[in-house]
Amino acid sequence: MSPWSWFLLQTLCLLPTGAAQRHGAPGAANCELKPQQSELNSFLWTIKRDPPSYFFGTIHVPYTRVWDFIPDNSKEAFLQSSTVYFELDLTDPYTISALTSCQMLPQGKNLQDVLPKDIYCRLKRHLEYVKLMMPSWMTPDQRGKGLYADYLFNAIAGNWERKRPVWVMLMVNSLTEVDIKSRGVPVLDLFLAQEAERLRKQTGAVEKVEEQCHPLNGLNFSQVIFALNQTLLQQESLRAGSLQIPYTTEDLIKHYNCGDLSSVILSHDSSQVPNFINATLPPQELITAQEIDSYLRRELIYKRNERIGKRVKALLEEFPDKGFFFAFGAASQ
């Protein structure tokens, strides 16, 4: 799972598990996908031991968009493994409450108190636009399942004035028509966690909430204001029709379904954050963008992967007779 993909976890599980157990249309794929399941590319790595253990690369999209393209050997490895580990324990209520607490400003503070007035006004204007547009973004399928625009908006953005600016930036980046249309079906990680629970497998997590949360809160105020401003500029340009995003969720799904681990598209799933490095930025702003990128790579890729690697190694050594299935974000492996 990507570093911030759990940010809207509570809105990704708006339906009971049973209601989401259906296989939707497969993701669009122009990669000449093999017709036989056995010939599909796989995001599965085997750790040779007895019994074997596995690494499986996941993606932060509704599972129905990719499930039919996941090879049978990956599904069989999941079924055969007695123990399934994720980045975070996605079914633990504490995880959700801890993530919510992490996003909040100190008691008594509101965004209006901390943001520059012009950015606060632009943010409020953009959220009003999203709320106005959301009913037209909803699909008939979502409405048929009892999802309504007002409820969904409040679930995602209802408490935005109490959130830290960095989390509001992530929220704004996710409040797009494409993302809204995907709500109501569990993402692949969450679906696997629900399946593991249903099959009564032993489950666990290799990370604590604080380890994913604190680095993001560690950006300094000027960096966060820069990031929020750039995110608002991007969304305002999209609304005006003067900007087209070079990659989309559909591109991400296509590359995953094609087994294209090396694709630059797939790497965007590891952050859920806009790419702030842009050659058109003034020199000082370009430096800020590079500093943010360098900090996040160091804290949420390099240090994080080293920490996870040590914990996986310790688990394998402590329980040599167990078959583990580790489901982590493909782009962060």
Side-chain angles (χ1 to χ4, degrees), residues 111-112 114-121 221 225:
L111 264 183
Q112 195 166 8
V114 299
L115 288 182
K117 186 176 180 180
D118 62 321
I119 289 184
Y120 176 82
C121 290
F221 185 71
I225 294 302

Side-chain angles (χ1 to χ4, degrees), residues 111-323:
L111 264 183
Q112 195 166 8
D113 302 325
V114 299
L115 288 182
K117 186 176 180 180
D118 62 321
I119 289 184
Y120 176 82
C121 290
R122 286 167 56 210
L123 171 63
K124 192 172 182 181
R125 192 158 54 241
H126 179 70
L127 292 177
E128 287 169 351
Y129 162 81
V130 169
K131 188 172 185 179
L132 182 68
M133 294 300 296
M134 198 175 279
S136 66
W137 292 348
M138 301 283 291
T139 66
D141 191 45
Q142 286 173 316
R143 293 193 190 93
K145 291 176 179 174
L147 276 180
Y148 295 97
D150 283 349
Y151 168 64
L152 190 54
F153 180 85
N154 286 331
I156 299 170
N159 206 19
W160 66 271
E161 296 208 46
R162 286 278 299 115
K163 291 182 186 289
R164 295 175 183 268
V166 68
W167 296 98
V168 172
M169 179 270 290
L170 292 176
M171 180 189 76
V172 168
N173 194 48
S174 72
L175 280 170
T176 63
E177 182 174 359
V178 171
D179 286 324
I180 293 302
K181 287 182 184 299
S182 73
R183 297 306 165 107
V185 177
V187 291
L188 181 58
D189 311 76
L190 184 55
F191 168 69
L192 288 174
Q194 292 171 340
E195 280 294 281
E197 196 172 59
R198 183 180 69 82
L199 295 169
R200 301 187 183 280
K201 293 180 181 292
Q202 182 180 344
T203 60
V206 294
E207 291 187 284
K208 301 172 184 175
V209 169
E210 294 75 17
E211 291 170 336
Q212 284 203 7
C213 178
H214 288 172
L216 206 56
N217 285 345
L219 289 166
N220 67 45
F221 185 71
S222 63
Q223 290 171 329
V224 171
I225 294 302
F226 168 81
L228 178 56
N229 180 54
Q230 290 298 312
T231 301
L232 284 171
L233 286 172
Q234 184 184 81
Q235 294 302 320
E236 289 160 353
S237 298
L238 286 170
R239 282 167 50 189
S242 58
L243 174 69
Q244 188 170 5
I245 294 180
Y247 61 90
T248 66
T249 301
E250 293 300 317
D251 295 323
L252 188 65
I253 290 169
K254 183 187 81 171
H255 283 275
Y256 185 81
N257 286 344
C258 293
D260 189 1
L261 182 62
S262 62
S263 170
V264 67
I265 299 290
L266 192 58
S267 69
H268 289 292
D269 186 54
S270 68
S271 67
Q272 306 289 308
V273 175
N275 181 10
F276 301 123
I277 298 178
N278 187 321
T280 63
L281 289 173
Q284 190 55 49
E285 291 189 3
L286 183 58
I287 290 172
T288 301
Q290 291 168 337
E291 287 173 348
I292 293 172
D293 182 72
S294 176
Y295 171 81
L296 294 179
R297 283 181 181 277
R298 183 175 67 253
E299 294 295 327
L300 290 169
I301 297 181
Y302 306 134
K303 285 185 179 180
R304 181 169 171 257
N305 280 355
E306 183 179 358
R307 183 172 64 240
I308 289 174
K310 288 178 179 177
R311 289 176 184 170
V312 167
K313 182 173 181 287
L315 282 168
L316 293 171
E317 290 173 346
E318 185 178 355
F319 303 104
D321 298 327
K322 280 190 178 180

